[in-house]
Amino acid sequence: MESAAKDEIQPTLPPVPAAVAHTQTLIDAQRLLEAYVSLRELEQLQEETWGPLGGLELPVFQGLGLLAEALGQAVEAAAGNAGQLAREDPALLVAAVRVAEVEARRTTPLGQAPRDWRQRCLRALQAGLERVYFSTTVLPEPGALAGWLEALQVALPAELAIAEALVAPCCPPHYNVVQLWAHTLHSGLRRTLKRLLEGPELGAADTFALLHWALQVYLGQEMMGSLELGPDADVSQLEPLLTLENIEQLEATFVAKVQASVAQWLQKALDGEVAEWSREQEPKTDPSGFYHSPMPAIVLQILAENIRVTSLVSESLQRRVYGMALSELGTFLRSFNDALIRFSRDHLQGDALAPHYVPYLLAAFNHQSALSSSLSVLQPDGVASGVLVPVETALEELQRRICHLMLEALQVELQPLFASLPSRRWLSSSEMLDSVCEQTSRFCGDFWRVRKPAGQLLLAEAERTVVLLYLHALMQGRLVCRSASERTQAAERLQHDAGQLKELFLGLGLEESVHCSPVLLSLRELLNLHDSTLLGLEVAGLRQQFPDVSEDHVSALLDLRGDVSREQRQAALSSLQAGPPPSPSTGRRALFSLVPAPTPSLTSCLTSGPCS
């Protein structure tokens, strides 16, 4: 029965093979709408034969499935090339989309699977975009990432503009072409960056470029957030290009690599400075005559530039780099301190005499001052000043070190001159102190090349060092006055020496209010006292002026008088404890506590104080 029906119907069919061939020709010629009409006519004819044949398919229709797939692939290919077609052949793109839409609305006969050409079309639109921008497996070479990102910065907004102006009019509104374009480009970029971060670790420049581009540029008005794009782009719904984990990894990588680079640059700057210390020439000076070196400016510039540039990326990265910069500055200051110690040791021990030892120490003082005064330029807005405390402490330690080395050098020069104090020669001549003043004046002659207030600090500490050496020598027991006349001579010598030291340091520019030499006038009173029964009162007065004076010091001074009995000595020493407590407002710096008596070690004269 079915065979008879088949034989009856088949001769009445149009030339189906010719129609199939014609349809294929239309597909090959990209006449997609005509091809679709022809395909549907053939399929309609096929459907009309199913009934009489009881659903039996005639051999003549067996090629229709392949023909339909060929048309679907043509539609898919056109959609995949949408950007180029929208510029060069929009009619073909429109035809492809219309075929997909008509097919999507067609009611599929029972038992047949629907041809989902609309979804194929949408997927092809996405795949075509990804193929253009992200299909290559070759990632940017080291150092080339910034250029690659800059190219995308131009290409992606241009692609979105084409989608909005040319592709969207070729498609139904429900395709949401601009949004589709934005999300497709974004997804492809995210996957590419993920592969990039899974590869070899990026260098500092590439890391910075990626962080800056992803966090600041990508969604900004220069790119996906362009005001020229309509609301259809809906970039607010895009996921971040980089995850929090990605950002953490990149920031840590950047800081580590920059830290290594900064450490090298700072060491190079320090090495260059240290190399200058052995030169035959004095340190360079600025227009004001102060010793000067570019090192502090180089150090601050290196650190400040790295901190500043990270503000272009994020507050988080800037804080990290700021912390790194302070850490490296602290390391640099410790290295500077160590270099000064080696410089001093080699010079004083004669291993490597520096022709201009003191001037280069003075120059180091200016370097410390420059770093200290400019420290705030490193601090980003909103960062608590408390984080600077460790560096400020290191700077203070460096200042103390330089000052201590200066005073140590002064002490070495003056030590032989105090070997004859006190003595009978000292009683009758100012020659010894003349030599001290001449040597001190020569040593301190370049202190004016140190910027204030460091210059005043140095002068004050130098004056105190001279006074300490004086007190140290005075209490060695080298001289015992044999008569009232010699006691008067000693008192007059103390008065004369105090005046000479005062004149010396006033001439050098030291403010009189900080002079230590007046202590000699107080000791003069103790030596010049004619009524020894009043020694207790005089000793109590001395303690009022100098709370750190001890029984040993007083005892050594009483030995110098040479006329104090055991009972008088005991009474005088008892007055140290019996007298009223010293006034807390005396404001005097420690003196006697730095002079052990009666047989002190010379090196102990600099054990404490602002420069110790």
Side-chain angles (χ1 to χ4, degrees), residues 506-557:
L506 283 176
L508 290 171
L510 181 62
E511 298 174 2
E512 185 175 358
S513 61
V514 297
H515 283 205
C516 293
S517 55
V519 67
L520 302 183
L521 298 178
S522 299
L523 301 186
R524 169 191 174 277
E525 296 300 326
L526 188 62
L527 290 178
N528 203 35
L529 185 67
H530 296 291
D531 186 353
S532 56
T533 61
L534 299 178
L535 282 173
L537 185 61
E538 193 65 41
V539 168
L542 182 65
R543 181 171 180 263
Q544 280 293 313
Q545 295 181 69
F546 303 98
D548 60 340
V549 70
S550 70
E551 291 185 2
D552 288 337
H553 299 125
V554 172
S555 184
L557 292 170

